[in-house]
Amino acid sequence: MQVLVRDNNVDQALRVLKKKMQREGIFREMKARKAYEKPSERKTREKAEAIRRNRKAARKQAIREGLIAAPKPKPRFAGQRRPGTAPSAGPRSETTASKA
């Protein structure tokens, strides 16, 4: 796995690396390998994962066929301040500008 560091911005490169590792399932695998998992526990976990996958596939199929309503899309921070960013110094309204 390779991540390019642009303009000596290591923080952004780390964020990209973590996202790639999350997508590949490396963190999940590291957690699973941390301790021994008994074969019976492994079977139970794999069975539960298979059930979860099948339910998700069935739900998606039902949405495609129009049998159930699709979930509402999450808002994409329209007009809101994103967590972790500084507030913008945008134009103020006339009422707040005249009071200042």
Side-chain angles (χ1 to χ4, degrees):
M1 194 170 297
Q2 187 178 27
V3 175
L4 298 175
V5 179
R6 296 184 189 142
D7 300 327
N8 288 331
N9 195 347
V10 179
D11 292 332
Q12 183 184 10
L14 271 174
R15 235 183 354 255
V16 171
L17 176 65
K18 284 182 182 179
K19 193 176 279 189
K20 281 186 177 186
M21 291 172 71
Q22 179 77 31
R23 232 178 264 136
E24 293 290 323
I26 292 174
F27 291 126
R28 193 180 313 119
E29 189 175 335
M30 282 174 22
K31 186 177 177 184
R33 289 173 184 246
K34 196 177 281 189
Y36 178 74
E37 186 178 25
K38 288 171 38 178
S40 60
E41 291 173 348
R42 184 170 156 249
K43 278 185 202 170
T44 306
R45 179 182 51 80
E46 287 178 349
K47 201 173 209 176
E49 287 174 357
I51 290 170
R52 206 172 298 124
R53 274 194 311 272
N54 287 334
R55 282 186 181 154
K56 184 176 181 179
R59 188 171 51 245
K60 285 192 171 218
Q61 183 67 30
I63 289 170
R64 265 187 250 119
E65 292 174 358
L67 299 175
I68 59 174
K72 292 180 182 176
K74 294 181 182 177
R76 300 289 292 176
F77 300 111
Q80 296 177 353
R81 189 174 72 82
R82 259 193 260 172
T85 59
S88 63
R92 297 191 298 175
S93 67
E94 289 181 30
T95 55
T96 54
S98 60
K99 289 179 185 176

